């Protein structure tokens, strides 16, 4: 390269750093939101109240009295 | 259908080829004939400074494309009030601002050795700086104004702001300016084959990168708008 080489290399380096940095920022934000959504759905599954089945209702003391 | 991940890899590989061709790592004579088209030769007047053009011009093209997408998304949002158009407009504006920032920086670095100054209040440069401020304003409106007013005001700004894009493109044709004439589009000046081939390859690579970045940004917007993640995203 001639004496303008440092200008070319610095322009190129700035482009790579800015675009690479922006892509890394988007990637970390996307993975953070995905993690958060997975954690939220896992928490919902863990705390969900089980729905009693017909058989459980019939056997329980307060269940159906039909014989 | 092409996935976001494969689009990212494809654009990265093409950008690497453009980088090699631009920075002229190999001797041109050592390359097979067709590949020589994608290697930038040293310019007689500008020397190696001309190599900056091979990523400065495609990034300017991508910025124009991004703001055109904002225009289309803004019109569609005002007609339908569908949030998906608003998310597309916001994603495209953000990517467009990143590319316009790089256009201003790389243009300035090219200007110093060729013009002898980092910045000149030349019509092309000034209108590009105005373009950058317009879409920075768009992003600020979109961030700080609450829905439904925020998306509506931003959409109006996205439509009005696009008026500056053809002015930037035509600035070097309409006014006396230091900036060279356009090298892409209807007003393009004639160029030698090696410039056109490498520029077109670079254009494809940066356009694919733009599509990739907008798709990732759209996914973020969609995830952030869901009730499970909306609180943390704000």
């Amino acid at each position: 390269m001639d004496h303008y080489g440092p200008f070319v290399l610095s322009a190129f380096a700035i482009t790579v750093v800015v675009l690479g940095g922006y892509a890394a920022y988007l990637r970390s934000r996307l993975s953070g939101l995905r993690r958060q959504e997975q954690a939220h759905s896992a928490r919902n599954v863990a705390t969900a109240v089980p729905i009693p089945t017909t058989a459980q209702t019939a056997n329980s003391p307060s269940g159906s009295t039909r014989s | 259908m092409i996935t976001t991940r494969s689009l990212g890899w494809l654009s990265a590989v093409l950008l690497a080829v453009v980088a090699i061709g631009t920075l002229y790592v190999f001797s041109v004579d050592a390359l097979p004939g067709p590949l020589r088209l994608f290697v930038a030769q040293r310019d007689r007047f500008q020397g190696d400074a001309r190599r900056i053009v091979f990523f400065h011009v495609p990034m300017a093209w991508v910025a124009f494309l991004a703001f055109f997408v904002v225009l289309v998304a803004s019109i569609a949002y005002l007609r339908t009030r569908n949030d998906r158009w608003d998310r597309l407009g916001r994603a495209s504006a953000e990517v467009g601002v990143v590319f316009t920032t790089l256009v201003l920086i790389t243009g300035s670095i090219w200007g110093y050795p060729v013009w002898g100054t980092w910045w000149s209040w030349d019509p092309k440069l000034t209108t590009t700086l105005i373009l950058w401020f317009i879409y920075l304003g768009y992003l600020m409106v979109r961030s700080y104004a609450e829905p439904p007013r925020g998306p509506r005001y931003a959409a109006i700004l996205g439509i009005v702001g696009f008026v500056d894009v053809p002015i930037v493109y035509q600035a070097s044709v309409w006014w006396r300016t230091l900036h060279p004439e356009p090298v892409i589009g209807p007003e393009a000046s004639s160029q030698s084959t090696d410039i056109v081939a490498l520029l077109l390859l670079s254009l494809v690579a940066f356009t694919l990168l733009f599509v990739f970045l907008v798709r990732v940004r759209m996914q973020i917007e969609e995830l952030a708008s869901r009730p499970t993640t909306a609180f943390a995203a704000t």
Side-chain angles (χ1 to χ4, degrees):
Chain A
M1 285 216 174
D2 62 12
H3 57 288
Y4 293 141
F7 291 98
V8 181
L9 290 176
S10 56
F12 188 78
I14 289 169
T15 304
V16 170
V17 168
V18 171
L19 288 178
Y22 181 61
Y25 156 74
L26 289 184
R27 195 186 151 139
S28 86
R29 210 169 151 207
L30 184 64
S31 58
L33 283 168
R34 276 184 179 152
R35 249 196 326 270
Q36 198 185 344
E37 196 184 43
Q38 280 169 359
H40 183 87
S41 54
R43 207 165 42 238
N44 275 358
V45 169
T47 56
V49 178
I51 301 166
T53 60
T54 315
Q56 282 173 335
T57 314
N59 292 337
S60 70
S62 59
S64 171
T65 53
R66 216 170 65 185
S67 56
Chain B
M1 192 180 158
I2 192 162
T3 61
T4 305
R5 185 182 283 262
S6 56
L7 195 63
W9 280 113
L10 184 63
S11 56
V13 169
L14 280 179
L15 283 169
V17 174
V18 170
I20 292 167
T22 305
L23 296 178
Y24 191 12
V25 190
F26 303 112
S27 164
V28 180
D29 298 331
L31 291 169
L35 282 180
R36 287 180 204 171
L37 281 174
F38 301 110
V39 174
Q41 308 280 338
R42 181 174 292 154
D43 186 71
R44 201 187 319 163
F45 303 107
Q46 297 178 29
D48 279 327
R50 191 188 68 167
R51 296 177 196 282
I52 296 174
V53 169
F54 296 103
F55 45 100
H56 169 79
V57 173
M59 286 193 298
W61 148 258
V62 166
F64 291 168
L65 176 68
F67 299 141
F68 179 71
V69 172
V70 176
L71 171 78
V72 173
S74 299
I75 293 170
Y77 175 75
L78 290 178
R79 282 174 69 100
T80 63
R81 299 297 160 127
N82 185 337
D83 287 340
R84 198 171 160 73
W85 289 115
D86 172 53
R87 289 197 284 268
L88 174 63
R90 189 178 185 178
S92 191
E94 189 178 292
V95 177
V97 166
V98 170
F99 277 104
T100 310
T101 308
L102 284 171
V103 167
L104 288 167
I105 294 170
T106 54
S108 184
I109 294 172
W110 176 84
Y112 188 73
V114 177
W115 295 341
T117 178
W118 294 104
W119 181 263
S120 149
W121 292 103
D122 173 274
K124 189 99 166 178
L125 277 65
T126 309
T127 49
T128 308
L129 186 65
I130 291 169
L131 188 73
W132 186 74
F133 276 119
I134 289 170
Y135 286 93
L136 208 60
Y138 174 99
L139 292 176
M140 287 173 78
V141 168
R142 194 57 199 77
S143 296
Y144 297 122
E146 291 293 320
R149 281 189 304 172
R152 201 168 65 230
Y153 291 164
I156 293 166
L157 190 57
I159 294 166
V160 176
F162 189 77
V163 172
D164 193 35
V165 171
I167 297 174
V168 173
Y169 180 77
Q170 289 285 348
S172 52
V173 179
W174 288 344
W175 295 293
R176 190 185 292 256
T177 166
L178 282 170
H179 197 279
E181 289 181 350
V183 288
I184 298 172
E187 297 290 343
S189 53
S190 60
Q191 300 284 347
S192 60
T193 325
D194 70 311
I195 291 186
V196 174
L198 186 55
L199 261 180
L200 286 178
L201 183 71
S202 188
L203 204 65
V204 171
F206 275 103
T207 307
L208 287 176
L209 180 68
F210 162 74
V211 176
F212 166 71
L213 291 174
V214 169
R215 277 170 80 157
V216 174
R217 190 68 186 80
M218 282 276 287
Q219 285 174 0
I220 290 172
E221 287 286 323
E222 278 166 14
L223 272 176
S225 66
R226 287 182 192 167
T228 53
T229 50
F231 177 73
T234 50

